[in-house]
Amino acid sequence: MAFRRRTKSYPLFSQEFVIHNHADIGFCLVLCVLIGLMFEVTAKTAFLFILPQYNISVPTADSETVHYHYGPKDLVTILFYIFITIILHAVVQEYILDKISKRLHLSKVKHSKFNESGQLVVFHFTSVIWCFYVVVTEGYLTNPRSLWEDYPHVHLPFQVKFFYLCQLAYWLHALPELYFQKVRKEEIPRQLQYICLYLVHIAGAYLLNLSRLGLILLLLQYSTEFLFHMARLFYFADENNEKLFSAWAAVFGVTRLFILTLAVLAVGFGLARMENQAFDPEKGNFNTLFCRLCVLLLVCAAQAWLMWRFIHSQLRHWREYWNEQSAKRRVPATPRLPARLIKRESGYHENGVVKAENGTSPRTKKLKSP
């Protein structure tokens, strides 16, 4: 990993060199952008990487507020924060996870899962706090009607747009990290599945101007995922500690129900009752029957797939548990052999010959016939 003292040097720009120094390379690129802020000639280009673009002034009753909408320049900002995320990923891995895993002495399989859960615990915890703050300050929790009223939500506050850009940057950075972290081939398909799911849902909410609904759904999803990966970390530390898994199993089903209810309420009922239902991409309006059905189908299919995987894993876990219990019951207890009674002749043994107690032979003497 980056920032680590290395005893072996690799050829410049070789595969191993890039893998072991990818965070340092990203840090150099970020530093070049920050240095560009110091000069007037390059400052405008540097701001294109750092700050969200497409800002507009919206008049209000008291003054004017600055809002943002999306555009192609967002890709440049996302690219910059991908490198920021790679650096933070390396810092967490080097200074937190590697030190803990050395004390636990995990196997290769558990070590890979421990690193995955450790990174996601940090990300989900940060995202839950950030998302909850945005939802509360914008008033989306206190006014559920705001999830579909005044659609399309083209004009976004700064913190909402910046949150979505950082979310997209994180899940895009997870793709090259599969190569940099040398993830096992058996784990790559599973990780690609949830990475692509997050990218499709976050990008869909951002591009279809469903950012308010997307924030609520991400808050629910990230809370459940944080609990799961936290339970897995405790399990790796102590295999007898499975209490958090029971709590996660109880919360998981409730979260699926809440996500489906909110999606149907906002998209199926809220947007369906809006007057403006014309397809107009220039104005950001996608409130048509076809688009609503596609969104609901995507959300319902994703939740059904997650629920199926959850039920399948729980059944497999219970099956393994009952097999272990039945195997313990079938093993018969080893019977104790009764002590064999050894009939000893009177007297004692001397050189394999039984002697009488008075020193004479115990055998009867034969009488000589006269």
Side-chain angles (χ1 to χ4, degrees), residues 89-113:
H89 186 112
V91 171
V92 171
Q93 184 69 40
E94 175 68 20
Y95 295 103
I96 299 178
L97 297 180
D98 285 350
K99 292 183 179 180
I100 297 176
S101 61
K102 287 180 181 178
R103 298 181 180 180
L104 297 178
H105 304 288
L106 301 173
S107 62
K108 290 184 178 180
V109 176
K110 290 185 177 180
H111 186 267
S112 176
K113 293 183 178 180

Side-chain angles (χ1 to χ4, degrees), residues 146-247:
S146 62
L147 299 180
W148 61 83
E149 285 183 345
D150 301 328
Y151 182 85
H153 307 139
V154 180
H155 300 149
L156 305 176
F158 172 81
Q159 58 182 355
V160 175
K161 177 166 183 174
F162 190 64
F163 177 81
Y164 271 96
L165 293 180
C166 291
Q167 292 294 314
L168 291 172
Y170 180 86
W171 291 113
L172 285 173
H173 114 280
L175 295 174
E177 283 293 341
L178 296 176
Y179 169 74
F180 294 143
Q181 297 295 327
K182 295 183 178 180
V183 178
R184 297 168 57 247
K185 292 182 179 179
E186 296 80 4
E187 294 290 326
I188 291 178
R190 180 185 61 84
Q191 294 192 27
L192 279 176
Q193 287 176 355
Y194 71 76
I195 290 172
C196 293
L197 273 178
Y198 276 116
L199 283 174
V200 169
H201 283 75
I202 295 173
Y206 183 65
L207 297 176
L208 296 178
N209 296 314
L210 295 171
S211 56
R212 300 179 183 180
L213 178 62
L215 285 172
I216 304 295
L217 299 186
L218 280 177
L219 179 62
L220 294 172
Q221 177 65 22
Y222 283 166
S223 300
T224 308
E225 290 298 306
F226 169 75
L227 188 60
F228 168 73
H229 290 288
M230 200 69 188
R232 200 155 74 159
L233 290 180
F234 278 104
Y235 175 76
F236 289 143
D238 182 9
E239 293 186 355
N240 296 323
N241 191 350
E242 296 185 358
K243 295 181 180 179
L244 280 179
F245 278 116
S246 301

Side-chain angles (χ1 to χ4, degrees), residues 24-84:
D24 298 321
I25 297 172
F27 180 77
C28 293
L29 295 175
V30 170
L31 191 61
C32 292
V33 175
L34 296 178
I35 292 175
L37 296 174
M38 302 172 60
F39 304 97
E40 185 178 357
V41 179
T42 57
K44 188 176 181 179
T45 305
F47 278 120
L48 184 64
F49 285 88
I50 299 173
L51 295 178
Q53 304 300 310
Y54 305 105
N55 57 324
I56 58 174
S57 298
V58 178
T60 59
D62 300 334
S63 60
E64 292 184 353
T65 58
V66 179
H67 285 71
Y68 297 82
H69 60 90
Y70 62 82
K73 294 181 181 179
D74 290 340
L75 297 175
V76 180
T77 309
I78 291 173
L79 179 63
F80 175 78
Y81 285 100
I82 285 176
F83 290 112
I84 294 289

Side-chain angles (χ1 to χ4, degrees), residues 178-365:
L178 296 176
Y179 169 74
F180 294 143
Q181 297 295 327
K182 295 183 178 180
V183 178
R184 297 168 57 247
K185 292 182 179 179
E186 296 80 4
E187 294 290 326
I188 291 178
R190 180 185 61 84
Q191 294 192 27
L192 279 176
Q193 287 176 355
Y194 71 76
I195 290 172
C196 293
L197 273 178
Y198 276 116
L199 283 174
V200 169
H201 283 75
I202 295 173
Y206 183 65
L207 297 176
L208 296 178
N209 296 314
L210 295 171
S211 56
R212 300 179 183 180
L213 178 62
L215 285 172
I216 304 295
L217 299 186
L218 280 177
L219 179 62
L220 294 172
Q221 177 65 22
Y222 283 166
S223 300
T224 308
E225 290 298 306
F226 169 75
L227 188 60
F228 168 73
H229 290 288
M230 200 69 188
R232 200 155 74 159
L233 290 180
F234 278 104
Y235 175 76
F236 289 143
D238 182 9
E239 293 186 355
N240 296 323
N241 191 350
E242 296 185 358
K243 295 181 180 179
L244 280 179
F245 278 116
S246 301
W248 166 74
V251 173
F252 186 87
V254 178
T255 304
R256 301 309 113 202
L257 181 62
F258 271 103
I259 289 177
L260 287 175
T261 304
L262 281 175
V264 173
L265 179 64
V267 179
F269 293 96
L271 293 179
R273 296 180 180 180
M274 299 292 294
E275 297 179 358
N276 189 7
Q277 296 190 15
F279 182 75
D280 191 355
E282 295 182 358
K283 295 182 178 180
N285 188 5
F286 301 94
N287 188 14
T288 60
L289 178 61
F290 177 76
C291 292
R292 292 197 302 269
L293 288 177
C294 290
V295 171
L296 288 177
L297 182 62
L298 177 63
V299 174
C300 293
Q303 300 308 309
W305 180 74
L306 291 174
M307 198 66 192
W308 179 83
R309 286 190 58 189
F310 171 76
I311 294 174
H312 180 72
S313 64
Q314 291 297 312
L315 291 176
R316 183 181 58 186
H317 177 73
W318 290 339
R319 194 182 302 114
E320 292 175 355
Y321 173 78
W322 287 114
N323 289 337
E324 292 178 0
Q325 295 297 321
S326 61
K328 291 180 181 179
R329 295 174 183 175
R330 291 175 183 174
V331 175
T334 54
R336 294 184 178 180
L337 297 176
R340 299 178 63 183
L341 298 177
I342 301 176
K343 186 177 180 180
R344 302 181 65 88
E345 299 180 10
S346 61
Y348 65 95
H349 290 262
E350 182 178 343
N351 295 328
V353 180
V354 180
K355 297 291 183 179
E357 293 181 356
N358 55 2
T360 61
S361 175
R363 292 181 294 179
T364 57
K365 297 180 179 180

